[in-house]
Amino acid sequence: MSTRLPEWMTRDLSLPRLRRYIRAAHGDARAAERLYWWNVEVSAALVGPLHCLELALRNALHGALVRHHGRPDWWEAAPLNERGRQLVESARRSCGRRLRRTTPDDMVAELTLGFWVSLLSTGYDRHFWVPVLNSAFPHYRGPRARLYSDLTSLVLLRNRVMHHEPVHHRHLAADHASIYRVLGYLSPEFAKEAQAMDRFPDVLAARADVVRGVRPPRF
């Protein structure tokens, strides 16, 4: 069992970051190195499904709120809480730094996934879910709380993937199933199309071979 990582890895990726992989590999530095690269590989494989879910979700919620308020900039009229207003203002400033003129479509793209998911939280139940947002999920018949729980977990996954953090310790098969379950609530057609292109199952199945060194990681 090797106990030392390559010098370039500890220099370029930082030892504090790599220690989490060393612990997961029970001190085997070579296995930790391979686990690190598999984490990159599986994160890359999750980007596509998360991309599909995020865009479908924000467009569905936006569309429902536009119809309800009768204006494309519905956030100007909707009863957002203080945190929601702060996120809108942050998106507006970000657009203003890049664009001469900000359109509602620009704002929709700039608002974070966390903002969109927050619209399904308990505090917005009477303002958004009951009168409006339940219609954004035409293939869902369960309670708002369960949907919100699934989405908050996926926000955490999305943020870890996009910020290059470890995800190998998560129940990734369940995460992956949750992505498509929620996407199916929005659009079964989109879910079917995305799954046909999805390489995540193959990457997940190869984890043990990659960590043992039987198959090289690829991304």
Side-chain angles (χ1 to χ4, degrees):
M1 181 175 74
S2 173
T3 59
R4 292 179 63 85
L5 288 166
E7 182 180 350
W8 69 265
M9 279 195 83
T10 58
R11 181 190 67 236
D12 297 336
L13 298 175
S14 88
L15 186 57
R17 178 183 184 83
L18 293 169
R19 282 198 182 106
R20 291 174 285 183
Y21 296 90
I22 295 170
R23 286 195 297 271
H26 307 291
D28 185 335
R30 289 295 294 159
E33 180 181 355
R34 292 190 289 264
L35 178 60
Y36 181 89
W37 293 120
W38 183 83
N39 192 86
V40 176
E41 182 177 1
V42 79
S43 295
L46 284 166
V47 168
L50 288 167
H51 167 106
C52 295
L53 175 62
E54 183 166 353
L55 267 65
L57 178 69
R58 76 188 190 197
N59 287 328
L61 298 182
H62 175 63
L65 288 161
V66 167
R67 289 189 293 274
H68 181 73
H69 290 282
R71 53 189 295 179
D73 58 346
W74 56 266
W75 46 84
E76 302 294 351
L80 294 171
N81 60 23
E82 182 178 358
R83 178 57 178 160
R85 291 192 296 272
Q86 288 173 349
L87 290 171
V88 167
E89 187 55 35
S90 177
R92 199 191 322 273
R93 287 196 302 269
S94 182
C95 287
R97 287 192 293 269
R98 297 182 292 103
L99 305 167
R100 289 186 178 180
R101 177 178 173 271
T102 299
T103 69
D105 283 343
D106 297 324
M107 287 288 289
V108 169
E110 193 67 33
L111 287 163
T112 66
L113 178 58
F115 169 82
W116 295 107
V117 172
S118 76
L119 300 181
L120 304 173
S121 63
T122 302
Y124 284 137
D125 195 42
R126 294 175 63 186
H127 293 299
F128 288 147
W129 176 255
V130 173
V132 190
L133 294 184
N134 65 86
S135 67
F137 300 88
H139 304 278
Y140 181 66
R141 295 294 179 267
R144 176 203 54 76
R146 187 167 70 207
L147 182 62
Y148 179 66
S149 178
D150 283 345
L151 282 165
T152 52
S153 179
L154 291 174
V155 169
L156 292 174
L157 173 66
R158 182 259 188 213
N159 289 343
R160 294 193 74 83
V161 166
M162 297 305 176
H163 291 92
H164 319 305
E165 294 294 327
V167 296
H168 61 82
H169 60 287
R170 292 180 61 106
H171 189 340
L172 292 174
D175 287 329
H176 185 254
S178 185
I179 291 171
Y180 282 103
R181 185 170 62 252
V182 178
L183 185 56
Y185 298 151
L186 295 160
S187 171
E189 300 88 352
F190 196 179
K192 182 179 179 180
E193 187 74 13
Q195 281 184 302
M197 297 180 279
D198 191 345
R199 65 189 178 91
F200 171 86
D202 293 336
V203 174
L204 183 65
R207 172 175 175 157
D209 285 345
V210 171
V211 175
R212 288 200 310 268
V214 175
R215 164 170 95 66
R218 333 181 253 277
F219 57 86

